[in-house]
């Protein structure tokens, strides 16, 4: 992985910069295509044409830079999201054998908010769609991949003792309570009374939720394990899923990622039907790092994580029509998962 000077936006990309990042001097030119729907970062697929007769490197790579929207950029810097992803690829990814893309360049400048990654391209794998939901086959692949990602950190404490992974969460009761009224006012016509109650109960009893979370087994959590961040190629049996967007990686209850995926990626009727078997499949991939009941209990507590993220995130990033549709879709799924698991019983009334 190289660490030469970062670039701020796609327009700054040059054949010379690409050549240095990829360790070759034979790049003639390139083309770029915007991919993904991130609201804190931009991702572009870069198709590379080499000057020599034989390719001097990969045929395509993915360039990821901070979003041009100033509010989104400030959020990425203030919450440490850009720095986390760069350090993940530089320090943690080499220790994992899971479905993580190769990294050719990773850099971050806190003063300017400049953030840049050059990653291996998982094409022909395609991203999932949070709004549409996933197929059962995609769910099986994603859950098994998650178990393989979690197992090393749960079994070996060295990964989770890394200082920058153990920073206190910027999300607290004060933040949740301050943002919720504006969220409910903005989206009041799109939230059912039952799901609004879930949001309000979580805000009221956030400290109790945080205490329950602290008691769960900790591991390396992706923090945003949802379909928009998963690339699927189910025809590739050895590598059916590639996991991207590691801006929220942290030490947290491992079941955070599983609860978030099940509550967000699966349509409610599919989750109700498939979740017990998917939890078992995740547990089997952990190779004894957690027992099955710990998985079940952690899933119930962390069903609130998705509710929290769906209410906070839209108030911190640039608002878009597609973003509104996504947040409302996943909020409904997460809130219903909490209700289905009787998770309201975990929260004391104010």
């Amino acid at each position: 992985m190289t660490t030469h000077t970062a670039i701020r936006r796609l327009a700054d990309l040059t054949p010379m910069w690409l050549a240095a990042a990829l360790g070759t001097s034979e790049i003639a030119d390139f083309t770029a295509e915007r991919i993904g729907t991130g609201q804190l970062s931009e991702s572009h697929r870069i198709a590379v044409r080499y000057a020599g007769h034989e390719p001097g490197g990969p045929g395509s790579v993915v360039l990821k830079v901070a979003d041009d929207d100033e509010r989104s950029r400030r959020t990425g810097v203030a919450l440490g999201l850009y720095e986390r992803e760069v350090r993940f690829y530089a320090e943690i990814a080499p220790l994992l054998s899971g479905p993580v893309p190769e990294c050719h360049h990773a850099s971050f400048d806190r003063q300017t908010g400049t953030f840049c990654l050059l990653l291996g391209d998982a094409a022909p794998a395609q991203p999932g769609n949070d709004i549409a939901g996933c197929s059962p086959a995609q769910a099986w692949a994603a859950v098994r991949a998650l178990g393989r990602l979690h197992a090393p950190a749960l079994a070996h404490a060295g990964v989770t003792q890394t200082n920058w992974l153990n920073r206190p969460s910027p999300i607290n009761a004060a933040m949740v309570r301050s943002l919720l009224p504006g969220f409910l006012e903005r989206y009041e016509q799109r939230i059912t009374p039952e799901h609004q109650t879930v949001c309000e109960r979580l805000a009221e009893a956030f400290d109790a939720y945080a205490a329950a979370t602290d008691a769960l087994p900790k591991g390396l959590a992706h923090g945003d394990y949802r379909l928009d961040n998963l690339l699927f190629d189910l025809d590739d049996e050895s590598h059916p899923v590639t996991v991207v967007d590691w801006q929220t990686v942290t030490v947290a209850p491992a079941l955070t990622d599983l609860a978030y995926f099940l509550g967000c990626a699966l349509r409610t009727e599919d989750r109700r039907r498939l979740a017990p078997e998917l939890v078992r499949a995740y547990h089997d991939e952990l190779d004894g790092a957690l027992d099955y009941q710990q998985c079940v209990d952690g899933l119930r507590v962390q069903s609130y994580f998705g509710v929290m993220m769906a209410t906070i995130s839209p108030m911190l990033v640039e608002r878009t029509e597609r973003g509104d549709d996504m947040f409302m879709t996943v909020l409904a799924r997460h809130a219903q998962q909490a209700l289905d698991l009787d998770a309201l019983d975990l929260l004391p009334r104010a």
Side-chain angles (χ1 to χ4, degrees), residues 225-237:
Y225 198 80
R226 57 187 176 87
L227 290 176
D228 277 4
N229 296 328
L230 303 178
L231 307 177
F232 292 94
D233 182 5
L234 300 185
D235 292 331
D236 184 350
E237 295 183 0

Side-chain angles (χ1 to χ4, degrees), residues 130-175:
D130 285 322
I131 297 174
C134 71
S135 69
Q138 289 174 319
W140 284 109
V143 163
R144 290 187 174 115
L146 181 62
R148 291 193 294 273
L149 279 171
H150 282 175
L154 285 167
H156 304 289
V159 173
T160 58
Q161 290 174 352
T162 305
N163 288 338
W164 62 268
L165 282 172
N166 282 277
R167 295 173 181 172
S169 171
I171 300 175
N172 55 34
M175 174 185 284

Side-chain angles (χ1 to χ4, degrees), residues 9 37 117 121 138-139 199 209 255 276 283 288 304 342:
R9 55 178 63 87
T37 57
L117 289 168
D121 188 1
Q138 289 174 319
C199 298
Y209 160 70
L255 271 296
H283 169 261
Y304 282 114
D342 294 325

Side-chain angles (χ1 to χ4, degrees), residues 101-219:
E102 180 182 5
C103 182
H104 301 285
H105 170 91
S107 57
F108 169 67
D109 185 331
R110 179 180 295 277
Q111 296 302 316
T112 63
T114 301
F115 150 74
C116 179
L117 289 168
L118 192 69
L119 305 172
D121 188 1
Q126 295 294 316
N129 185 313
D130 285 322
I131 297 174
C134 71
S135 69
Q138 289 174 319
W140 284 109
V143 163
R144 290 187 174 115
L146 181 62
R148 291 193 294 273
L149 279 171
H150 282 175
L154 285 167
H156 304 289
V159 173
T160 58
Q161 290 174 352
T162 305
N163 288 338
W164 62 268
L165 282 172
N166 282 277
R167 295 173 181 172
S169 171
I171 300 175
N172 55 34
M175 174 185 284
V176 173
R177 291 168 186 159
S178 67
L179 293 178
L180 183 61
F183 172 84
L184 294 177
E185 180 179 2
R186 179 190 292 183
Y187 298 112
E188 62 180 346
Q189 301 301 320
R190 302 183 65 173
I191 305 174
T192 69
E194 295 82 2
H195 295 165
Q196 179 172 331
T197 296
V198 173
C199 298
E200 292 170 339
R201 287 286 303 279
L202 175 61
E204 291 171 1
F206 189 86
D207 291 334
Y209 160 70
T213 296
D214 286 342
L216 297 173
K218 302 296 193 299

